[in-house]
């Protein structure tokens, strides 16, 4: 007899939301601008003003104090990674699909943002994570020479790209 499931669709959604809130904060963005005034020494007085988007609203940035990870999420939920993987199987558990898809999307988004904003030396782990957990792959171009289709198919097979012979 299978053990009773720890979460329902509603309780999992609540717990996942709580995990992300527990490791992040919302930071209203500001920028320093010249106030147009000077102090008694003649120095410019700067003021922090809200950064507005094109809709006129202040931009609020979600900042992760602790990086969001599957391991961290599982520890927070007090479940094994294999249980999370099962919850992510939308054929077995369609009731969890919205929650698990959103959670994976938030983690993938964090990784993508880190890839774009970190310096070159500090991205190996991010690339590894994206490739191994989110299906990203470095694009590799194959050059077809004038030697014909058979050589091209042979090269694909040697590179493990599984072309069929005719």
């Amino acid at each position: 007899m299978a053990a009773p499931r720890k979460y329902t669709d509603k309780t999992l959604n609540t717990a996942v939301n709580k995990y992300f809130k527990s490791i992040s904060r919302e930071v209203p963005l500001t920028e320093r601008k010249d106030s147009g005034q000077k102090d008694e020494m003649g120095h410019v007085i700067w003021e922090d003003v809200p950064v507005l988007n094109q809709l006129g609203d202040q931009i609020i940035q979600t900042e992760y104090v602790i990086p969001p990870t599957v391991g961290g999420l599982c520890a927070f939920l007090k479940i094994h990674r294999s249980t999370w993987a099962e919850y992510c199987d939308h054929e077995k558990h369609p009731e969890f699909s919205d929650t698990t898809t959103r959670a994976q999307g938030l983690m993938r988004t964090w990784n993508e943002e880190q890839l774009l904003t970190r310096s070159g030396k500090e991205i190996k782990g991010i690339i590894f994570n994206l490739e191994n957990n989110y299906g990203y792959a470095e694009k590799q171009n194959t050059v077809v020479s004038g030697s014909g289709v058979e050589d091209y198919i042979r090269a694909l097979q040697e590179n493990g790209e599984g072309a069929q012979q005719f």
Side-chain angles (χ1 to χ4, degrees), residues 129-150:
N129 192 26
L130 286 168
E131 288 177 345
N132 290 283
N133 295 315
Y134 300 102
Y136 285 63
E138 186 175 333
K139 184 177 179 181
Q140 296 185 7
N141 295 324
T142 305
V143 177
V144 180
S145 66
S147 58
V149 174
E150 292 171 353

Side-chain angles (χ1 to χ4, degrees), residues 65-160:
V65 179
I66 299 171
T69 63
V70 172
L73 175 61
C74 291
F76 185 87
L77 298 175
K78 295 182 173 65
I79 61 173
H80 192 272
R81 287 179 81 102
S82 64
T83 303
W84 176 254
E86 186 176 319
Y87 288 175
C88 290
D89 184 338
H90 299 162
E91 288 183 21
K92 283 185 184 177
H93 296 287
E95 70 275 17
F96 295 145
S97 67
D98 286 347
T99 299
T100 58
T101 300
R102 186 177 51 75
Q104 289 173 320
L106 288 170
M107 288 185 265
R108 183 177 48 249
T109 298
W110 180 85
N111 279 277
E112 290 171 350
E113 288 172 355
Q114 294 301 305
L115 187 61
L116 294 172
T117 58
R118 284 190 183 188
S119 66
K121 293 180 185 178
E122 300 175 8
I123 62 171
K124 287 182 182 180
I126 299 295
I127 292 170
F128 175 85
N129 192 26
L130 286 168
E131 288 177 345
N132 290 283
N133 295 315
Y134 300 102
Y136 285 63
E138 186 175 333
K139 184 177 179 181
Q140 296 185 7
N141 295 324
T142 305
V143 177
V144 180
S145 66
S147 58
V149 174
E150 292 171 353
D151 288 342
Y152 175 69
I153 292 171
R154 192 174 306 110
L156 285 175
Q157 289 173 329
E158 289 172 3
N159 290 329

Side-chain angles (χ1 to χ4, degrees), residues 3-20:
R5 201 168 3 147
K6 181 171 181 150
Y7 289 101
T8 65
D9 56 339
K10 199 174 206 175
T11 60
L12 181 66
N13 187 51
T14 299
V16 167
N17 287 340
K18 191 172 180 180
Y19 165 71
F20 283 104

Side-chain angles (χ1 to χ4, degrees), residues 40-60:
E40 62 277 350
M41 302 283 279
H43 300 113
V44 172
I45 297 176
W46 297 93
E47 62 183 349
D48 290 331
V49 296
V51 175
L52 305 179
N53 63 21
Q54 292 182 3
L55 299 172
D57 301 322
Q58 184 172 15
I59 297 176
I60 308 293

